[in-house]
Structures are given as structure tokens and as C-alpha cells.
Amino acid sequence: NSNESGIVNIYKIPVACGKPVALTQSKDNATRLTDVFPHDDRILFERDKGGNEKYHLFVRTLDGTEQDLTPMAETMEAHFTGWSADGLSFYVSTNERDAKAFDIYRYDAKTYARTLIFENTTGMQTQGISPDGRWIVSSKINTTADSDIFLYDIQSKQMKNISAHTGVANNQVA
């Protein structure tokens, strides 16, 4: 929901009709829902600071408090990347280490403790994480017409180009 100044908040609307209930209370920052927790009523949302489009990831806890899960510098950003298959952890990409590359962290859904699972030293773009949490698929743009797809094994910490080719080929993750 957006007001006349463009500030967006998240509302919960009862299915059987009824009055919308505001879940976030920002008066000066855009807020966007990213996902809901699979096992309870907590929500994950991204919010920037005054329209700078440098989003941080927040959780709205069961008691209604908002917690920034990525309290890094305002010039850095973070994005929700997905859930593990069991819903006990989720993934977040953040450029706090290097402004030009997004690393991937696994967050415990209960404690919010995080573990670095992929340090992106080459500026690839993460396209997805396997449901079992073992594999990360990334793309590397070489030119506007040429790209490669890489598969990273989180267990062995090995990266493999799975689209090796000669000439120009625009490979994309489906």
C-alpha cells in the first residue's frame, strides 16, 4: 500500500473481508514484501533508506518488531534469495564485502545466525540455489551476446563452467 508521498507499507487483509492491518509502519522509506516464513507468521521484507534503492533485508517478528538482518552501511544492499526446502534456513545476497559482487549467506530461520556459503570474487550473478542447499548456479556475462553458466558445489567449494563453448553463445539459466 502506498500513500501520497510514495511511501509503501505492508498490510494484512483478512480473506473473509475486513479492515486491513498495517504490518509495517515506515513513514519515510519504501518497503516491499519478499516472503513469509513457511512455519509461522513472520515476514521478510526489503526496505531502502529515503529512496536510495540500497535495500536491506528485515524480518517482522511475531511480536511485531522489525529487525534489520543486514545492518551494514547504507551504501550497501542485500536481497532475499530463497528458502531451503525444509524452510529452516534462507539465503541472502549482499554486497557488503565488495560493492561490485554479491556474496551468498545462509541464515538460520530461528536464530538469524548467518554463514557465508559463497564468496563471489568474480562478480557473477547468482541465479538460484538448489532446494537441498548444495548447489549455486550463477551466470557470467562476457558481452551482450555471450555468457556462461557456472555451477558451484557448496560442499567441495568447487566451481565448474557447465556451458563451456567456443564462439559466441548466450547461455541462460531456466
Side-chain angles (χ1 to χ4, degrees), residues 5-131:
S5 65
I7 303 308
V8 178
N9 277 294
I10 301 168
Y11 286 78
K12 180 178 180 179
I13 302 173
V15 175
C17 294
K19 188 174 181 172
V21 176
L23 298 180
T24 59
Q25 306 292 328
S26 179
K27 298 192 184 341
D28 55 0
N29 298 306
T31 303
R32 61 184 184 198
L33 178 69
T34 53
D35 216 333
V36 295
F37 279 70
H39 302 297
D40 58 49
D41 289 335
R42 291 175 292 164
I43 63 171
L44 288 168
F45 62 93
E46 293 178 0
R47 178 179 284 153
D48 73 349
K49 184 79 168 177
N52 69 359
E53 297 187 8
K54 302 292 185 186
Y55 288 90
H56 285 213
L57 184 68
F58 290 77
V59 62
R60 181 186 184 272
T61 63
L62 295 174
D63 68 3
T65 17
E66 297 177 0
Q67 178 181 345
D68 187 349
L69 298 177
T70 54
M72 61 226 172
E74 289 179 18
T75 57
M76 302 300 166
E77 61 185 296
H79 300 284
F80 175 75
T81 307
W83 286 97
S84 62
D86 60 10
L88 299 178
S89 60
F90 56 93
Y91 304 99
V92 176
S93 61
T94 173
N95 68 345
E96 66 191 81
R97 181 191 55 80
D98 178 348
K100 296 181 216 110
F102 284 83
D103 298 331
I104 305 294
Y105 290 86
R106 180 186 298 116
Y107 279 71
D108 181 285
K110 190 177 286 189
T111 66
Y112 312 126
R114 72 181 192 164
T115 305
L116 177 66
I117 60 170
F118 177 62
E119 187 173 307
N120 186 2
T121 58
T122 60
M124 286 194 248
Q125 298 174 329
T126 299
Q127 302 295 319
I129 301 169
S130 64

